[in-house]
């Protein structure tokens, strides 16, 4: 076959594949049909998760009690889809997570965004008309519950942020998604809103099951910008988070070895004690370069995720109800006392990696960072909270050795210095991705109509996605780390 014929055949294959994709998407759109009447609101429910189980401190600390021994906080495989009849929620999510852009931010006044308004309203009408289903049949199936939380939380954020801002600054999240999300969140003991776990830990499929379990082998299955120019930026942002999570798991494994030795000190002569100090110092000297690797991974995000794309096209979708300040208030239909719910949205503060290091080293956060760090625990899977709580009970062992041995003190301070460097660089990343772009909304080709007037006011305040004043909190976190040095 000639080269020209081969290219002609390849073009035909590409064209046919593109047609199939287009008609599949068109089929989804047409399935929206005319909105049916809203279904009656079911009986109100309340978010009352059981408290975390008491720790069994009689058992030695080991991360494998709380995390997968091979993949850490990630499930070993991509999560299963919801079973029937709950699969309808997967179908509703697929309508806005297809190969072509479907929704736009409600405050975006660009021509492109306005052209999607009609579809957005039909989609939201479909969500409102969806009967509220009971998720009790999957209550004991943790992976499926995690998938349910992810699907429902993404639906809530798509629904809220595609809605043009209402004049009364209050948006009602339909009971069809609000009640199941609250129900599932109670069982998982996690906040009923989109979290870091939903966007990173529970949002991937392996591209090749035969290849190693790494971030480079992951496809992130749900994006706010699927099919648009910012899709790559969003996907690569999650990939950077996944790399930090994976390298952070190496920290967690090293900490287990350290704690095992901390809990078995020598009881004999001074020689044994000197050897013991050397052993503990070796653990700490091994931990510091891994923390430094986390900084390198964090800084690599600038190579794959554009700051203005993050600021204009990704970050606005993350906002939660309590990140709005004087902005939108979310009302979960059919949920009592919804004003008390934790609804901050996803944040890097919800990864357990640095909470684990803080717990081991006894970092006491100051007033600028402690409220945020404490709240973010409620957005983590409960197993990760348990791991952190267990480690908090062991930090005094290490601090006692720091006071006894200059060798241990040097290793301890070395880890804290590496953590302080991470937090200093994190502040630089925040300036680059959040503070600096706030006067540059829009960017060409993305949300083109979001002028200074169209850019949301809460964005211009440089709040973090977790609801904090970003720079103040990050400086507080860094300063608390520095002040912990012995």
């Amino acid at each position: 076959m000639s080269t020209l014929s081969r290219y002609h055949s390849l073009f035909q294959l590409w064209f046919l594949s593109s047609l199939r994709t287009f008609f599949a998407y068109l089929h989804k759109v047409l399935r929206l049909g005319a909105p049916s009447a809203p279904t009656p609101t079911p009986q109100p429910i309340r978010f009352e998760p059981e408290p975390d189980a008491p720790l069994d401190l009689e058992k030695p600390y080991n991360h494998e009690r709380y995390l997968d021994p091979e993949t850490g906080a990630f499930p070993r495989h991509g999560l299963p889809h919801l079973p029937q009849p709950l699969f309808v929620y997967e179908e509703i999510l697929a309508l806005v997570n297809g190969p072509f852009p479907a929704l736009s931010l409600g405050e975006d006044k660009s021509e492109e965004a306005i052209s999607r308004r009609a579809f957005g309203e039909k989609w939201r009408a479909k969500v409102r008309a969806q009967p509220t289903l009971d998720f009790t049949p999957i209550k004991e199936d943790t992976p499926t519950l995690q998938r349910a939380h992810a699907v429902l939380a993404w639906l809530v954020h798509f629904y809220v942020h595609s809605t043009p801002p209402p004049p009364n600054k209050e948006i009602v999240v339909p009971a069809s998604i609000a009640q199941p999300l609250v129900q599932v969140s109670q069982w998982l003991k996690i906040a009923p809103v989109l979290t870091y776990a939903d966007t990173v830990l529970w949002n991937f499929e392996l591209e090749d099951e035969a290849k190693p379990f790494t971030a480079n082998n992951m496809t992130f299955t749900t994006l706010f910008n699927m099919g648009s120019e910012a899709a790559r930026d969003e996907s690569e942002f999650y990939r950077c988070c996944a790399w930090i999570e994976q390298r952070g798991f190496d920290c967690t494994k090293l900490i287990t070895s350290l704690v095992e030795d901390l809990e078995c000190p020598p009881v004999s002569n001074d020689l044994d004690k000197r050897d013991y100090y050397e052993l503990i110092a070796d653990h700490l000297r091994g931990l510091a370069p891994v923390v430094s690797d986390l900084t390198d991974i964090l800084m690599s995000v600038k190579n794959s995720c554009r700051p203005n794309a993050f600021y204009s096209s990704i970050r606005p979708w993350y906002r939660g109800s309590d990140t709005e300040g004087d902005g939108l208030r979310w009302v979960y239909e059919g949920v009592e006392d919804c004003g008390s719910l934790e609804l901050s949205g996803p944040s890097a503060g919800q990864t357990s990696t640095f909470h684990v290091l803080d717990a081991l080293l006894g970092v006491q956060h100051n007033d600028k960072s402690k409220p945020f760090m404490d709240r973010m625990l409620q957005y983590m899977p409960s197993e990760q909270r348990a791991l952190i709580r267990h480690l908090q009970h062991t930090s005094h062992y290490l601090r006692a050795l720091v006071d006894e041995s200059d060798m241990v003190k040097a290793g301890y301070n070395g880890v804290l210095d590496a953590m302080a460097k991470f937090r200093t660089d994190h502040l630089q990343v925040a300036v680059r991705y959040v503070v600096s772009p706030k006067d540059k909304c829009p960017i060409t080709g993305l949300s083109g109509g979001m002028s200074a007037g169209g850019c949301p006011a809460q964005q211009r305040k440089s709040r973090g996605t977790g609801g904090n004043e970003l720079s103040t909190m990050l400086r507080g976190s860094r300063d608390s780390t520095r002040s912990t040095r012995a």
Side-chain angles (χ1 to χ4, degrees), residues 11 116 135 168-169 177 187 197 211 224 281 291 297 317 368 380 399 405 422 433:
F11 176 78
R116 300 176 193 161
F135 280 64
N168 64 354
K169 294 189 175 182
I177 52 177
W187 298 327
K211 291 183 178 179
F224 287 115
V291 178
I297 296 168
W317 293 98
K368 295 177 181 177
M380 291 181 193
R399 192 68 199 212
S405 166
F422 179 95
Y433 280 79

Side-chain angles (χ1 to χ4, degrees), residues 5 25 63 66 88 109 146 154 166 175 187 191 244 248 252 277 354 412 414 423 426 479:
S5 298
Y25 182 72
H63 66 272
Y66 308 107
V88 64
K109 297 180 176 64
Q146 291 169 340
W154 280 91
W187 298 327
I244 290 175
T252 302
Y277 292 151
F354 280 87
Y412 176 83
R423 283 171 164 157
H426 190 188
D479 294 345

Side-chain angles (χ1 to χ4, degrees), residues 405-418:
S405 166
D406 289 340
M407 191 187 312
V408 175
K409 180 190 293 186
Y412 176 83
N413 285 339
V415 180
L416 285 168
D417 289 343

Side-chain angles (χ1 to χ4, degrees), residues 262-276:
L262 283 174
E263 293 178 338
C264 300
V267 291
S268 53
N269 55 48
D270 290 341
L271 178 61
D272 287 342
K273 208 158 194 180
R274 284 196 298 273
D275 289 343
Y276 181 62

Side-chain angles (χ1 to χ4, degrees), residues 317-375:
W317 293 98
Y318 292 166
R319 297 192 312 261
S321 180
D322 58 4
T323 62
E324 299 290 338
D326 58 355
L328 287 178
R329 173 176 174 262
W330 299 12
V331 176
Y332 276 18
E333 185 184 29
V335 177
E336 296 179 352
D337 195 22
C338 61
S340 66
L341 297 176
E342 286 283 353
L343 300 176
S344 284
S347 166
Q350 295 161 17
T351 175
S352 63
T353 297
F354 280 87
H355 290 264
V356 164
L357 287 162
D358 284 344
L360 171 75
L361 300 169
V363 174
Q364 299 295 317
H365 283 273
N366 61 29
D367 292 342
K368 295 177 181 177
S369 56
K370 181 176 171 57
F372 172 78
M373 297 295 283
D374 287 349
R375 269 199 322 117

Side-chain angles (χ1 to χ4, degrees), residues 199-268:
T199 56
V200 179
L201 302 179
W202 302 341
N203 187 32
F204 76 94
E205 291 178 354
L206 292 178
E207 293 180 3
D208 187 341
E209 295 276 354
K211 291 183 178 179
F213 189 99
T214 68
N216 278 349
N217 191 25
M218 292 179 181
T219 295
F220 297 95
T221 54
T222 306
L223 305 176
F224 287 115
N225 294 279
M226 190 70 79
S228 77
E229 185 182 345
R232 181 181 180 277
D233 300 272
E234 185 176 357
S235 182
E236 292 305 311
F237 177 70
Y238 298 149
R239 195 178 314 282
C240 180
C241 294
W243 273 121
I244 290 175
E245 196 70 35
Q246 288 195 291
R247 193 62 172 136
F249 184 46
D250 293 332
C251 282
T252 302
K253 290 184 283 189
L254 289 171
I255 287 170
T256 291
S257 298
L258 169 59
V259 172
E260 286 173 350
D261 288 326
L262 283 174
E263 293 178 338
C264 300
V267 291
S268 53

Side-chain angles (χ1 to χ4, degrees), residues 144-207:
T144 306
L145 271 183
Q146 291 169 340
R147 176 61 184 170
H149 191 280
V151 168
L152 292 163
W154 280 91
L155 287 173
V156 166
H157 280 246
F158 272 121
Y159 186 96
V160 168
H161 292 302
S162 68
T163 303
N168 64 354
K169 294 189 175 182
E170 180 175 285
I171 188 160
V172 177
V173 179
S176 59
I177 52 177
Q179 284 198 336
L181 179 57
V182 166
Q183 185 183 41
V184 166
S185 300
Q186 281 194 156
W187 298 327
L188 289 174
K189 301 179 184 178
I190 193 171
V193 72
L194 195 71
T195 68
Y196 171 88
D198 299 303
T199 56
V200 179
L201 302 179
W202 302 341
N203 187 32
F204 76 94
E205 291 178 354
L206 292 178
E207 293 180 3

